[in-house]
Amino acid sequence: MNAKKKTILSGMRPTGKLHLGHLLGVLNSWIEMQGEYKCFFMVADWHALMGEYENPSGIKENSFEVVKDWIACGIDPERSVIFVQSMVPEHLELAMVFSLLTPLGWLERCTTYKEQLREIKERMLATYGFLGYPVLQTADIALYGADVVPVGVDQLPHLELAREIIRKFNGLYKKDLFAEPEPILTKVSKLVGTDNRKMSKSYGNCISLSDTPEVVKKKVFSMYTDPNRVRADVPGKVEGNPVFIYHDLFNPDKEEVDDLKKRYKAGKVGDVEVKEKLTRALNNYLEPIRERRNKLSDEDVLRVLKDGALKARIVAGRKMAKVKKCLHQIT
Ligand code: TRP
């Protein structure tokens, strides 16, 4: 009965407020996992700094925003350990250890690294630190003995490297000090943005979890619909139409949605009515999140993070002591 709960760890770089796509993808998976696993959720601020070291001023505020979004959506600080990477110094210590035994070739061949160097030209990313991105990520996972790491597909190369680095450590020093982590793919959110492309901050087509009712309304009214429907009395298409994708996801009143669809297909409803009803549904959906979020002050978040760092350090410190023993370091 009382089988030991497995541990998961996952992290997000603090790049800004989270949006509906995050909620339907990663966040809902995390929230569900809280019942089944011992959970560590980490703000990867060192990883953010690796890209933003020239201009680090936004990272602190973004960290607070991200944690507010997490808690408002249902990540529960009583059940899960919520912490910031840089508040637990053991991450860097273990990353140093792993860096000793990670061949340069493994990192240079990493597809995510090569892609970022190619794609991102406006920041100088050809640094020693950025090359070591997956080494630090391995330390994040290994410190807590995470068995399972929920990530999106884009992170799979890092998970594969983590398994290799851990295997190498175990082979050199101590079999089984670290478990080899298994990735589980979080549902990829295919939620479209307001312009019918994938919802993404870089496209400016997001509805944020913290948007006010007025902003939500404005964004809904700017949403793409059926491009061929030039007037309300022209029959329109419902499939693949962002407004109806959203109605299906966020409007619990199925009768209303069916009625709108029927009339839309017959050319008997205007966009304004469809969008007004969507605005109402979305705002009802977001209201409890907004309410919880607005009640959270920075002090509340700081308290959660300090408490989380204490809890994380107990686990991380124990693991690091064992690592030092393997390396014959004086403690
Ligand atoms: N690299 C991850 C991302 O950009 C964030 C991250 C850092 C992470 N450390 C982690 C994810 C450890 C999972 C486990 O999404």
Side-chain angles (χ1 to χ4, degrees):
M1 262 298 277
N2 245 340
K4 208 169 148 281
K5 271 190 182 177
K6 285 191 170 185
T7 299
I8 68 165
L9 174 131
S10 199
M12 254 185 225
R13 276 170 301 120
T15 52
K17 292 180 175 175
L18 304 182
H19 54 63
L20 280 172
H22 291 117
L23 179 58
L24 296 195
V26 189
L27 274 182
N28 276 340
S29 315
W30 286 12
I31 290 162
E32 243 171 69
M33 286 169 174
Q34 291 185 110
E36 203 180 326
Y37 296 92
K38 170 93 191 114
C39 296
F40 292 87
F41 296 119
M42 180 188 79
V43 177
D45 64 333
W46 278 119
H47 281 111
L49 261 176
M50 286 175 182
E52 303 291 338
Y53 64 93
E54 292 162 308
N55 186 15
S57 61
I59 293 177
K60 183 173 169 183
E61 191 187 327
N62 284 342
S63 301
F64 277 95
E65 298 295 346
V66 162
V67 173
K68 283 182 189 174
D69 283 330
W70 290 358
I71 297 174
C73 288
I75 305 287
D76 178 0
E78 301 290 322
R79 289 204 283 170
S80 300
V81 180
I82 300 176
F83 70 101
V84 171
Q85 192 180 34
S86 66
M87 290 169 79
V88 181
E90 284 82 1
H91 288 253
L92 296 190
E93 249 186 307
L94 187 57
M96 179 68 209
V97 175
F98 286 155
S99 77
L100 304 175
L101 52 88
T102 305
L104 276 178
W106 291 4
L107 299 173
E108 284 162 348
R109 271 197 300 275
C110 183
T111 46
T112 49
Y113 175 70
K114 288 195 291 190
E115 189 184 303
Q116 304 249 24
L117 278 201
R118 221 181 317 112
E119 302 281 321
I120 302 171
K121 293 280 181 248
E122 65 284 1
R123 288 174 280 157
M124 212 294 278
L125 292 182
T127 61
Y128 166 66
F130 193 66
L131 179 68
Y133 188 111
V135 177
L136 179 59
Q137 189 162 346
T138 305
D140 300 336
I141 298 165
L143 269 180
Y144 303 94
D147 311 282
V148 178
V149 183
V151 285
V153 250
D154 61 307
Q155 295 294 311
L156 286 182
H158 296 162
L159 257 290
E160 202 38 57
L161 264 175
R163 293 165 60 84
E164 277 178 287
I165 293 170
I166 283 172
R167 216 173 295 144
K168 183 141 180 205
F169 181 100
N170 286 346
L172 281 172
Y173 307 113
K174 191 168 188 293
K175 239 179 33 202
D176 303 334
L177 183 57
F178 296 115
E180 279 183 37
E182 294 287 344
I184 20 179
L185 287 182
T186 47
K187 266 181 280 153
V188 200
S189 163
K190 293 197 188 75
L191 184 66
V192 295
T194 49
D195 61 356
N196 210 10
R197 292 187 289 174
K198 182 185 151 66
M199 186 175 280
S200 158
K201 222 178 69 178
S202 48
Y203 294 151
N205 62 0
C206 301
I207 296 181
S208 300
L209 301 176
S210 51
D211 279 345
T212 61
E214 298 73 44
V215 172
V216 170
K217 177 164 190 188
K218 216 172 108 216
K219 289 183 176 172
V220 169
F221 273 78
S222 76
M223 253 171 121
Y224 283 35
T225 55
D226 177 351
N228 297 320
R229 191 171 178 263
V230 286
R231 278 193 329 264
D233 57 0
V234 176
K237 230 176 107 189
V238 160
E239 294 76 32
N241 184 333
V243 207
F244 285 103
I245 295 175
Y246 275 62
H247 264 297
D248 281 334
L249 285 168
F250 300 106
N251 190 345
D253 186 345
K254 295 300 159 216
E255 266 173 47
E256 178 175 278
V257 177
D258 285 342
D259 169 63
L260 286 174
K261 284 182 178 170
K262 216 178 339 139
R263 285 157 58 213
Y264 195 83
K265 286 191 270 194
K268 287 194 161 36
V269 63
D271 278 2
V272 173
E273 184 183 342
V274 178
K275 288 183 168 178
E276 240 150 33
K277 289 187 166 150
L278 178 57
T279 304
R280 204 188 50 224
L282 260 182
N283 274 330
N284 284 341
Y285 182 89
L286 286 172
E287 191 47 37
I289 297 176
R290 225 158 17 212
E291 211 174 288
R292 274 193 297 269
R293 203 183 191 286
N294 287 338
K295 282 202 197 112
L296 286 167
S297 64
D298 282 358
E299 290 75 53
D300 295 331
V301 173
L302 190 60
R303 222 172 307 120
V304 166
L305 293 178
K306 284 191 172 161
D307 182 54
L310 280 179
K311 290 180 189 155
R313 286 201 75 178
I314 292 172
V315 182
R318 260 191 225 131
K319 190 66 105 185
M320 207 48 225
K322 289 184 187 157
V323 172
K324 288 189 146 193
K325 207 161 150 214
C326 294
L327 299 174
H328 303 278
Q329 289 185 307
I330 302 168
T331 53

